[in-house]
Amino acid sequence: MTDLLAARPQPDPATARSASPASQASLTLIGAGLAGALLAALLAQRGRRVTVFERRPDPRVVGYAGGRSINLALAERGRHALAEAGLNERVMRHAVMMRGRMVHFEDGRTQLQRYGRDDSEVIWSIHRGRLNLDLLDAAEAAGARIHFDQRLDEVDFEQRRMKLVDESSGARRELAFDHLLGADGAGSALRATMARRVDLGERFEPLGHGYKELEIPPAAEGDWRIEPHALHIWPRGGYMCIALPNSERTFTVTVFLPQDGPHPSFATLPDRAAVHSLFAERFADALPHIPELLDDWFANPLGQLGTLRLARWHLDDRAVLLGDAAHAMVPFHGQGMNCAFEDCVALADRLEAEADAGVAFAAFEADRRPNAEAIQAMALENYVEMRDRVDDADFLLQRALERLLAERHPGRFVPRYGMVTFRRTPYAVAFERGRIQREILANATAGCTSLDEVDLAAVDAAVLGRLDPLEE
Ligand SMILES: Cc1cc2nc3c(=O)[nH]c(=O)nc-3n(C[C@H](O)[C@H](O)[C@H](O)COP(=O)(O)OP(=O)(O)OC[C@H]3O[C@@H](n4cnc5c(N)ncnc54)[C@H](O)[C@@H]3O)c2cc1C
């Protein structure tokens, strides 16, 4: 563990900005996962005194033990936040481009459904562990002090003192703080201590579906086994598999299934024979590519999924929550981290602009909470779309009309996926415009089987009448 009493490294003069005189109070971050490490880097680069406490050991010493998905889809919001911290190039060195969804139908056919217009509108698969290491290095290089093996246990908000447990020795101690920033993930300990003091209006909605991770290794000659530049989906109605590429020429496969209930659910797959027959029957083209299927299935944990909603994210100037601690979501839009990174920039900007941390926290929450709620709703909708609709004729016709309207009305009819993924349109705006656009698409294609049957003049009039040009 880093020596708590060691002199604080000086901010890197190349990246440090001068802090305003009113912002000299120290900032204590809980959690050095994706959001905590990026926020620490951004704040330290802006000249703030930043101390971070992370429950896990230093992954640069003991290796990364993530516990969540092995790789993630990085999109424009995340890239923008990384660029703010000077990290975009470093992270992108290991990123694998994904041009669209490669849909694997049950009969073995595959179809690439592009996400955007061309290769300027793509998403990127990145390795969570490697990204976390890059972020930790950047935070320390900018002057943040990170203490590992330190779990936040309890907070005395009256006295502004927190209790920490050293996870390696079990030792407990108390430390003073000025302001606490909670980036300690979906099971946030800071949130639990805040909730003992004020009603956060907390609601957790379990999805009822869980996930397991598996691996497609490289082929014998070392090459990719399936198309590398795509996010693969095996949609099967009430459940699905996906696979994202890694730069090592492997793929991480994630199986999403109901936790209980009729076959197939995790509850109906108690043994190797049951798992093998599910793959043989429903994911036949994937099965030969997952040689360790059965061992990995029983060795890897069953991950839980759900949506965390809070009516309140901050406690005056004493504590604020961000990232999954404030708004954990289901992973089906690939936006949890991207949204958390957008939070980091928003919070760093507010803390730079406002002398009073309480004002900054309130403004941050007012700006971000409606947007987090919008992406949570879109992520839930996307699960149904991915597992159930990407192979359905109505959906494909609507997608074709959507592309046509995007060409006919650039900057006005922008597909919702694009607003969320390729732009930084506020999520709440994307959600509302997306609702109107879906109505236009559904009305225009009702009863049609091909684009030729669509009344384009009427659709154009609906677009011009109902959608203003999109402001960036
Ligand atoms: C299966 C799956 C796939 C996903 N795919 C994507 C994707 O493709 N794209 C995307 O954008 N997002 C994706 N996400 C979401 C993404 O993983 C999260 O939104 C992101 O990790 C949130 O970052 P965070 O820093 O808020 O929380 P975390 O990454 O969970 O980090 C929290 C940190 O706090 C530490 N901590 C916890 N408790 C304490 C404590 N008491 N004291 C001190 N430290 C503590 C933890 O050890 C951890 O390091 C996915 C999630 C899942 C589950």
Side-chain angles (χ1 to χ4, degrees), residues 29-37 53-56 64-75 98 124 128 132 150-153 164 182-190 211 213 231 242 244 254 256 303-305 322-341:
L29 272 66
I30 308 300
L34 299 181
F53 295 97
E54 164 58 46
R55 180 177 68 181
R56 292 192 295 230
Y64 187 76
R68 320 213 50 194
S69 69
I70 289 162
N71 54 20
L72 302 134
L74 175 70
M98 298 187 289
W124 301 87
R128 183 187 292 266
N132 209 165
Q150 301 294 306
R151 175 169 60 81
L152 178 78
D153 187 36
L164 294 164
D184 50 346
S188 170
L190 179 57
Y211 69 96
E213 290 189 309
L231 189 156
I242 64 170
L244 272 70
T254 313
F256 295 96
Q304 313 290 325
L305 299 169
L322 69 148
D324 276 15
H327 51 67
M329 65 190 75
V330 297
F332 306 110
H333 221 306
Q335 285 289 316
M337 166 195 65
N338 286 284
C339 177
F341 281 3

Side-chain angles (χ1 to χ4, degrees), residues 1 57-64 133 136 148:
M1 189 194 77
D58 188 341
R60 294 163 298 185
V61 178
V62 300
Y64 187 76
L133 301 194
L136 292 171
F148 293 94

Side-chain angles (χ1 to χ4, degrees), residues 155-173:
V155 180
D156 179 344
F157 286 106
E158 296 303 329
Q159 303 296 324
R160 291 196 193 238
R161 293 183 73 76
M162 61 181 172
K163 292 182 183 156
L164 294 164
V165 177
D166 184 316
E167 294 282 76
S168 57
S169 67
R172 307 172 76 86
R173 69 205 166 101

